[in-house]
């Protein structure tokens, strides 16, 4: 059609209202053009989308993906947290710092990959008296379904060789909720997302939490995740040194 179209209506309500019904998932139509033009149109559509806008508190931001539009590896996380909605960028808080370290361990820079989320706003919890939100909650299936066309369109535009789903929520969104009961169901093998290979690994926040709670030794948790990253590197035909192969082993 030569333009971006949205088939949704605005639902503006106070940010501390009870969870509300969302309209059906939007129909995303991008302009014909080069990657950058298509990505920019998509970004504008998402950032200005009335439903996304209606779900962010005053002063906070809708969060769209970032990174290299020619990335061969595209990471999909869950939803923005406090730092992300403040800065308007995915994975900039503690989980993001761990993800960035894992990307560097792969021999890549953050600027060489693409990073997006299943959801574009921070799932709301009741406000404190000062209007701020403490803590995060998992997105509902309805929220995931609403935002799914946005990450799908980002994947279509970037056209990565490999998709990495970070955690069960991302896996449920991309593979279908009925296909992902637990991480054990989906880790350790290749899946398909619209014709692209997809690997599921632990969410970096899960690794941080396990380590903080002392549930499993830090090295073991990180090694399990690292094996997923090694599988991605192999599939992406990235060079792997002996040192990289043995990361997190002792
Ligand atoms: N966790 C996510 O899943 N995404 C972010 O952007 C930040 C934390």
């Amino acid at each position: 059609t030569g333009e971006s179209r949205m088939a949704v209506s605005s639902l503006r309500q106070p940010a501390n209202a009870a969870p509300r019904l969302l309209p059906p998932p939007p129909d995303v139509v991008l302009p014909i053009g080069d990657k950058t033009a298509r990505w920019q149109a998509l970004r504008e559509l998402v950032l200005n989308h009335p439903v996304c806008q209606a779900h962010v508190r005053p002063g906070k931001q809708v969060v769209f993906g970032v990174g290299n539009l020619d990335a061969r590896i595209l990471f999909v996380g869950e939803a923005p947290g406090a730092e992300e909605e403040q800065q308007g960028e995915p994975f900039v808080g503690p989980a993001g710092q761990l993800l960035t370290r894992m990307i560097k361990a792969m021999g890549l820079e953050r600027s060489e990959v693409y990073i997006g989320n299943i959801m574009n706003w921070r799932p709301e919890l009741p406000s404190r008296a000062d209007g701020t939100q403490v803590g995060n909650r998992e997105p509902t299936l309805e929220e995931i379904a609403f935002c799914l066309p946005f990450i799908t369109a980002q994947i279509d535009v970037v056209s990565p060789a490999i998709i990495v789903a970070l955690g069960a929520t991302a896996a449920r969104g991309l593979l279908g909720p009925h296909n992902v009961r637990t991480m054990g169901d989906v880790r350790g093998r290749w899946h398909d997302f619209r014709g692209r290979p997809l690997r599921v690994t632990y969410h970096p926040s899960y690794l941080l939490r396990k380590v903080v709670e002392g549930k499993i030794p830090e090295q073991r948790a990180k090694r399990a995740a690292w094996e997923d990253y090694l599988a991605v590197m192999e599939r992406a035909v990235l060079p792997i040194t002996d040192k990289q192969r043995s990361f997190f082993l002792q």
Side-chain angles (χ1 to χ4, degrees):
T1 62
E3 61 175 22
S4 302
R5 181 159 62 80
M6 303 176 277
V8 288
S9 58
S10 166
L11 276 186
R12 188 162 284 282
Q13 291 185 30
N16 60 358
R20 70 215 78 181
L21 285 179
L22 292 169
D27 185 13
V28 174
V29 180
L30 296 180
I32 313 252
D34 64 15
K35 264 189 179 189
T36 307
R38 287 160 62 77
W39 182 81
Q40 271 167 352
L42 178 57
R43 182 169 184 273
E44 288 299 305
L45 185 152
V46 174
L47 296 184
N48 298 311
H49 197 288
V51 173
C52 299
Q53 288 276 338
H55 285 265
V56 294
R57 288 162 204 272
K60 306 300 182 201
Q61 300 181 57
V62 177
V63 178
F64 189 68
V66 290
N68 194 319
L69 298 190
D70 292 320
R72 301 199 62 238
I73 303 175
L74 182 149
F75 292 89
V76 180
E78 182 172 313
E83 291 85 356
E84 289 79 20
E85 69 165 0
Q86 181 68 37
Q87 294 182 44
E89 183 170 335
F91 283 102
V92 289
Q97 284 156 23
L98 177 55
L99 177 62
T100 304
R101 287 202 301 277
M102 297 295 258
I103 290 167
K104 280 191 189 287
M106 296 172 90
L108 298 171
E109 293 296 326
R110 215 177 128 105
S111 58
E112 291 178 272
V113 302
Y114 190 89
I115 305 176
N117 276 318
I118 282 286
M119 274 199 66
N120 302 92
W121 66 81
R122 182 181 182 193
E124 299 125 298
L125 284 171
S127 301
R128 279 197 306 214
D130 64 0
T132 60
Q133 172 172 332
V134 189
N136 296 309
R137 68 161 168 84
E138 268 180 37
T140 63
L141 289 181
E142 190 193 18
E143 289 169 330
I144 293 171
F146 182 84
C147 290
L148 193 58
F150 298 144
I151 188 67
T152 302
Q154 288 171 83
I155 292 169
D156 287 348
V157 170
V158 174
S159 195
I162 296 170
I163 300 165
V164 182
L166 299 166
T169 300
R172 287 193 183 107
L174 298 175
L175 300 176
H178 45 282
N179 291 321
V180 189
R181 246 180 343 111
T182 66
M183 285 296 276
D185 293 342
V186 285
R187 261 191 76 236
R189 61 198 164 91
W190 288 99
H191 302 268
D192 174 273
F193 180 75
R194 293 160 66 90
R196 295 174 205 284
L198 179 149
R199 197 88 179 180
V200 182
T201 188
Y202 296 111
H203 193 288
S205 303
Y206 170 86
L207 296 176
L208 291 174
R209 207 161 50 235
K210 282 283 179 201
V211 168
V212 168
E213 290 171 359
K215 293 236 167 93
I216 39 176
E218 174 169 1
Q219 289 300 100
R220 217 173 83 208
K222 290 198 176 143
R223 177 65 198 183
W226 183 242
E227 282 168 12
D228 302 327
Y229 287 78
L230 284 173
V232 169
M233 290 171 72
E234 266 166 17
R235 182 99 187 209
V237 204
L238 288 172
I240 308 181
T241 63
D242 288 345
K243 190 170 161 218
Q244 281 170 314
R245 285 209 186 274
S246 63
F247 276 167
F248 307 110
L249 269 183
Q250 38 277 326

